[in-house]
Amino acid sequence: MPSSPRSPDAVTPEAASPGEERGTRSEEESQPGAPLLSALLELQTDFLRGGDPQRSLERWLTLLLGETGGEHGLLGVELQAPGVAPAPQLQVLASTPPGWGAALWEVPAWLTPGDAEPRSLQALVSLALSTGQPLSAEGPVKVPGSAPLPMPEPSPRSFRVLPLQAGDARTGFVGFTHRPGEATAEASEDLLLLLDVGDSLLRSRREAQQQEQTQQAAHHLQEELEALRQTLASVEDDLWIWNAPTRELRVSRRWREIAGYAENELAPTFDAWKQLCHPEDLPRIQSSLQAHAEGTTPHAEFEYRTRCKDGEWAWILSRARVAARDEQGKPIRIVGTDTDLTAMKRSEERLSALLLAIPDLIFRLRGDGTYIDFSCSTSERTLLAPEEFIGRNMRDLPMPQYLNDLWFSNLDRVLRDGALAVYEYELDMPQGRQSYEARVVRSGPDEVVSIIRNITERRLVEERQAQLIQAEKLASLGQMAAGLAHEINNPVSYVASNLRALDEYASAVGPLLRMLREFLEEPGTEPRTLSAEQLARMRQLWQQGELDELLSDMPELIQESLTGTRRIKEIAQSLRVFAREDDGQPQSVDVNEELESTLRMVSNELKYKCDVKRDFGPLPRITCFPTQLVQVFTNLLLNAAQAIETRGEIRIRTWQRDTEVVVEISDTGKGMTAETISKLFTPFFTTKPRGQGTGLGLSISRDIVNRHGGRIEVRSEPGKGSTFTVTLPLSPP
């Protein structure tokens, strides 16, 4: 309830002297009118029912201006309690006309009694609130150099500010203008009622805001509590509290879950927990707790093993702090957390076992080439002892320059692209020159792991195997030598015979050509004719040389000779492809073309015993070592021919299956038993008579196919022939 407007002293002379008639109204006239009461009742009802608070305040300000006779007014509140530094902030809630208060809020345009300088509306309100008394000012005053004030004509000459206050609690303020000479009737019952309602609206608004803020705070607190509850529920650590004087130990449900015990299966005492600890870990636990209790360490931290209900050991990491001490400083309560390390420890054990099983040197290095860590589970000798290169840069070690360049080029590529780098190198070691294979993979933003394997023995095995492959090639060539000689002898024979016939034809046509040359060489350029004698001589030479027969035979002789030389060239090319050594680089080839080349080379071994049926499907080119594949196909075709005792058939089929190429070679030979098939790829095993086979053909063929990432399979039954299937990937691994 506003106190100052109710006081008779609050009525200023300016407000009372011109309007004595208002002060002398009859009691009936001073009673609130029915329209005002009805409007105020409707206003409060709408506000209490949840109407728009802003609209209610604007309607109340309009009613107030109607009662005071003013045309401009504003209603506001303090945002900070009085007497609290800094000075309270003011907020205008309603203004009539809209925006009027904001436009003049900070404009110094009003003069109070005794002031030489004009004040702004904000200053007037602050002064009235600081004194707690109504305040009047004259104006507005034109401010030199400023824009015209937003006031109607004729402008009001008086502005009144009333603090709204209920008891000792100030709720807000109201300000309004009126014409000079008009009284404000601040002591009238209508105005007092209006002020009471305005105070009620502001208090209700503030209480509603406080209630909303309280609800929001409660909702926010509830959300935080729920988040905290979910966080605690997701934490893998368990909590425990140890009361040292009573030796009581309380553990959370999580610890019992780790150990596998129900709630009532363990006594809540330190001694019961101690009995579950591994005896080897107890001294370390006691030392850590003692150091923290004496203040040496900020907290106690230790790992220990606890016996689970199933008899297994669980690894626990415990961190603890003293939560309370007695008067002598001795711990009386210790609070800690336990983290289950069992899975991590078992992973470390598996990793350690894996590292021990890897017969390699493992290095961890930074991007600049500095060695960070080293592991070796073998007796492999290194250029330096591990303690001599850990922490040092590779550039500072006695390494060959070419090896440093090779290493850093791969290191940069691995860190940049994240790809696996594999390279080989050789190094002179105390035990002799050694071959190594290095694999480098990125293990962090600026860190790699390098696995070094000694491949010296593998290189020796590969060299021996290459020698065996070459020896098998030579053996196959020796086996085919007689047939190849016969195969080459045939075209050589008829080419030589044709050349002899052509020589005789050349001798027969010689006299006629010489006579023709003599005729053409006679001097003179004038046209000449053959004499009867010359013409008769030419006819005689033509008949003696049998030149008619020569003209008919010569094209056929030349064509046969060309065919023979082409056949000789094909055999020579096939032999060169078969006998050449690999250069170590894979090539892109057509398997069908390689099969045709092989068939041309072994055709003499096949044509007298079998018919070759081709069923070549369209194939993509594959990446392989072609000379090695030709050797595989040669072995399979020769074996198929040798399995046919009299006359039979060899069928060759090719097709693509997904990302593989399949070659199937079948024969109608005598077939093999299951026992023979089980030994078929064993080195030096052969079913041929002594001296006719090395027993390495199929063994080497399988190794070649395996190195290509493929496989070779065989199906056979006695008397039903055999089928060998070679499957090759489009690209080798």
Side-chain angles (χ1 to χ4, degrees), residues 342-363:
T342 306
M344 185 185 71
K345 288 291 185 178
R346 289 175 180 170
S347 297
E348 291 177 353
E349 291 174 357
R350 288 193 291 268
L351 179 59
S352 178
L354 178 62
L355 292 177
L356 289 175
I358 296 177
D360 299 321
L361 305 174
I362 303 176
F363 299 94

Side-chain angles (χ1 to χ4, degrees), residues 152-319:
E153 295 294 340
S155 299
R157 301 299 301 169
S158 180
F159 183 78
R160 188 75 167 164
V161 180
L162 301 178
L164 299 181
Q165 191 164 330
D168 295 332
R170 193 158 57 232
T171 57
F173 61 87
V174 63
F176 51 88
T177 64
H178 56 84
R179 300 290 182 185
E182 293 182 356
T184 60
E186 294 175 13
S188 69
E189 292 294 331
D190 290 355
L191 182 59
L192 293 177
L193 180 59
L194 274 166
L195 295 177
D196 284 343
V197 173
D199 172 72
S200 175
L201 291 176
L202 291 179
R203 281 189 288 111
S204 299
R205 175 183 176 276
R206 182 178 61 192
E207 291 172 356
Q209 287 181 335
Q210 291 176 346
Q211 183 178 4
E212 182 179 0
Q213 292 174 355
T214 301
Q215 292 176 349
Q216 290 178 351
H219 180 69
H220 182 65
L221 178 61
Q222 184 66 25
E223 290 180 343
E224 290 184 344
L225 290 175
E226 178 61 21
L228 179 60
R229 185 189 66 79
Q230 294 180 0
T231 301
L232 291 175
S234 63
V235 169
E236 293 296 329
D237 298 350
D238 68 89
L239 307 175
W240 54 267
I241 301 175
W242 178 28
N243 191 318
T246 64
R247 301 185 67 82
E248 181 184 19
L249 179 65
R250 294 289 182 181
V251 297
S252 65
R253 176 177 55 84
R254 172 62 181 156
W255 189 92
R256 292 193 299 272
E257 290 177 353
I258 295 174
Y261 291 99
E263 184 173 357
N264 298 323
E265 288 185 304
L266 289 177
T269 64
F270 179 80
D271 295 328
W273 169 84
K274 185 177 178 180
Q275 291 180 356
L276 297 177
C277 291
H278 198 289
E280 296 178 0
D281 301 333
L282 285 175
R284 186 171 62 254
I285 297 173
Q286 293 172 350
S287 175
S288 179
L289 290 174
Q290 182 68 25
H292 175 56
E294 294 174 353
T296 306
T297 57
H299 61 272
E301 181 172 331
F302 48 87
E303 293 181 4
Y304 69 95
R305 286 161 288 179
T306 186
R307 175 74 72 179
C308 299
K309 185 177 180 179
D310 59 5
E312 296 291 333
W313 292 102
W315 277 93
I316 305 292
L317 170 63
S318 185
R319 297 182 179 91

